[in-house]
Amino acid sequence: GYSESKSPKKRSEDESTRRYSESRSPKKRSEDESKQPIKINEVEDDMSEAIEYYKTGLRLYHGRRCEADHPLALKYFQKAAHRNHVESQLFYAKMLFNGDGVPADKVRAAKYFNFAADSGNIEAMKMYATMLKDGDGIPKDLALSALYFKMAADNDDSSSMLEYAKIIYEGIENDCNKEEAAEYYRREANKGDV
């Protein structure tokens, strides 16, 4: 019969592929290992690390127990923001927006306001909506601005109720909704009476 012999190069490639596959596949736990408590997963580790980066950023930003250093604080907020720490995303975005510690970068600021807004941060919703409404560093988009103002308004934010009502009263692409606008104006007016 015909047998194909593998060249040394081909054999080493096959061996490398096998070792890589084994390293990527989940390892079976022995019976003794399965009785041990499971260690903290990577997501929790990342969030703990993010919180520490955030705290360090705050200390550096405000000069608590150290000299204030905004450029270094910005780096810590960025590290935490990349680990999905919402308050860090907001702080990082504000610093980028205002050029605090770095030259202003409104495009990147909008990106991080958007991340924090989509995670439920009301202040980020308002900042992102305002940038969209005004076309401040990013393309103007009244429909998307209205969406983010509405998200903040529906979380009981008074200024967002007014902004949302104004946008939909004036209309987006010739489509106004005076009844819904009136409802948001009423909600804002009654907010202090509750």
Side-chain angles (χ1 to χ4, degrees), residues 22-83:
E22 287 174 357
S23 72
R24 304 300 294 163
S25 64
K27 294 190 173 30
K28 292 183 180 178
R29 295 176 67 167
S30 70
E31 198 168 306
D32 289 338
E33 287 177 323
S34 64
K35 292 178 184 175
Q36 298 296 323
I38 297 173
K39 293 180 182 178
I40 298 172
N41 67 34
E42 288 180 25
V43 173
E44 290 171 341
D45 285 345
D46 276 354
M47 192 48 66
S48 295
E49 198 172 64
I51 291 168
E52 289 306 313
Y53 286 142
Y54 176 67
K55 288 178 181 178
T56 301
L58 285 175
R59 279 194 298 278
L60 287 164
Y61 188 84
H62 295 293
R64 293 185 191 137
R65 295 182 284 162
C66 64
E67 190 173 320
D69 186 340
H70 288 197
L72 187 55
L74 181 86
K75 290 178 182 178
Y76 278 95
F77 289 131
Q78 180 184 27
K79 287 180 180 188
H82 286 176
R83 286 166 176 77

Side-chain angles (χ1 to χ4, degrees), residues 128-181:
Y128 187 54
T130 301
M131 290 181 78
L132 289 163
K133 178 184 73 138
D134 298 337
D136 189 5
I138 57 175
K140 188 173 185 172
D141 187 333
L142 282 180
L144 195 55
S145 175
L147 174 72
Y148 280 92
F149 276 129
K150 184 177 186 322
M151 287 168 55
D154 289 346
N155 278 286
D156 217 25
D157 183 75
S158 292
S159 63
S160 295
M161 289 177 194
L162 292 175
E163 288 292 338
Y164 177 65
K166 182 179 177 188
I167 290 172
I168 62 173
Y169 183 83
E170 292 173 358
I172 302 168
E173 298 175 5
N174 299 323
D175 183 24
C176 64
N177 188 335
K178 293 185 182 348
E179 290 174 18
E180 186 177 5

Side-chain angles (χ1 to χ4, degrees), residues 113-127:
F113 281 135
N114 183 240
F115 288 154
D118 287 347
S119 294
N121 186 287
I122 296 169
E123 187 176 355
M125 290 174 196
K126 292 178 355 181
M127 290 296 296

